[in-house]
Amino acid sequence: KQEVTQIPAALSVPEGENLVLNCSFTDSAIYNLQWFRQDPGKGLTSLLLIQSSQREQTSGRLNASLDKSSGRSTLYIAASQPGDSATYLCAVTSGSRLTFGEGTQLTVNP
Amino acid sequence: DAGVTQSPTHLIKTRGQHVTLRCSPISGHKSVSWYQQVLGQGPQFIFQYYEKEERGRGNFPDRFSARQFPNYSSELNVNALLLGDSALYLCASSVQGRVEKLFFGSGTQLSVL
């Protein structure tokens, strides 16, 4: 059974700081890995998708890496802004389903 | 184009009642998936439907059922509601049956009293 773990559970940083969110998964037989953002009480917004054959993806200030053999992914956020405050969820795809971690709650203080 | 739309946005039920949640996928998307998100946790997979057929089922009791219609919209039904069914129910759509990038709706917040 696939299990996804995210560390840390919560993170509070001052505006402008670069930060890294971590995700690990137990079964390396994945199709892809996605990072999502979730604002309180809202749905999920896909940030980055990394295919299992890829090592990283970049979008603006976000960079996600994938090391399938070690079962790890990181999401790097550069020059954080208060608008980045949200919960960030990592999910791996296998078969017909996504398996999610419990998320990292990020607060960026002005 | 409209995104994934879910209705209702909020719902309050009492224990033992039945509830139906609805989802319309993005135009052109043929796959719909349902997830349950309990407060403070990550979403848990409930069902995936593709071309009106069930393609996957998560570890949920038989009180949970779903279907997909010819226009690719979907319903999630939950019978005999329990307090523990209180959660945000998320619908997601994708173009094909094999899960590529999922597009999520804003969810239905279900409260069971």
Side-chain angles (χ1 to χ4, degrees):
Chain A
K1 177 188 172 187
Q2 179 75 267
E3 293 183 0
V4 180
T5 303
Q6 291 188 245
I7 295 173
L11 184 62
S12 180
V13 300
E15 182 177 2
E17 192 161 299
N18 302 325
L19 56 99
V20 175
L21 308 182
N22 297 290
C23 171
S24 62
F25 48 95
T26 55
D27 186 350
S28 62
I30 63 170
Y31 184 62
N32 61 42
L33 182 145
Q34 298 182 60
W35 283 92
F36 292 90
R37 169 186 172 137
Q38 186 173 34
D39 293 292
K42 303 294 186 183
L44 308 181
T45 300
S46 180
L47 298 173
L48 290 165
L49 181 151
I50 311 175
Q51 300 289 357
S52 61
S53 58
Q54 297 176 321
R55 298 284 293 183
E56 66 177 328
Q57 282 286 336
T58 298
S59 176
R61 294 183 294 108
L62 305 179
N63 175 274
S65 67
L66 173 64
D67 185 343
K68 205 172 77 160
S69 61
S70 67
R72 296 177 188 273
S73 176
T74 61
L75 178 66
Y76 176 82
I77 302 177
S80 58
Q81 303 171 358
D84 295 330
S85 298
T87 295
Y88 290 80
L89 292 156
C90 164
V92 296
T93 303
S94 49
S96 60
R97 69 188 66 188
L98 266 63
T99 303
F100 286 84
E102 295 197 342
T104 293
Q105 186 173 356
L106 173 65
T107 303
V108 181
N109 301 300
Chain B
D1 281 341
V4 178
T5 58
Q6 294 187 241
S7 64
T9 56
H10 295 82
L11 201 52
I12 299 175
K13 293 285 190 179
T14 57
R15 282 179 298 174
Q17 286 189 311
H18 163 89
V19 68
T20 297
L21 310 181
R22 295 177 174 84
C23 172
S24 293
I26 293 172
S27 178
H29 286 196
K30 298 181 178 180
S31 176
V32 169
S33 301
W34 288 95
Y35 288 80
Q36 180 198 65
Q37 187 177 24
V38 173
L39 188 65
Q41 298 183 15
Q44 297 288 320
F45 173 75
I46 310 176
F47 289 109
Q48 188 212 7
Y49 277 79
Y50 176 66
E51 292 278 18
K52 302 181 290 296
E53 292 189 1
E54 183 182 300
R55 285 294 188 91
R57 172 186 287 255
N59 188 24
F60 281 81
D62 292 342
R63 300 184 296 107
F64 289 76
S65 64
R67 56 179 175 169
Q68 186 177 31
F69 299 100
N71 66 354
Y72 303 110
S73 67
S74 178
E75 286 182 350
L76 175 70
N77 295 283
V78 187
N79 293 323
L81 285 167
L82 303 174
L83 296 179
D85 295 330
S86 296
L88 180 67
Y89 288 84
L90 296 164
C91 173
S93 73
S94 58
V95 175
Q96 298 182 13
R98 182 122 191 221
V99 176
E100 293 285 349
K101 186 173 182 179
L102 284 187
F103 295 82
F104 280 83
S106 298
T108 294
Q109 184 66 56
L110 172 65
S111 298
V112 182
L113 306 179

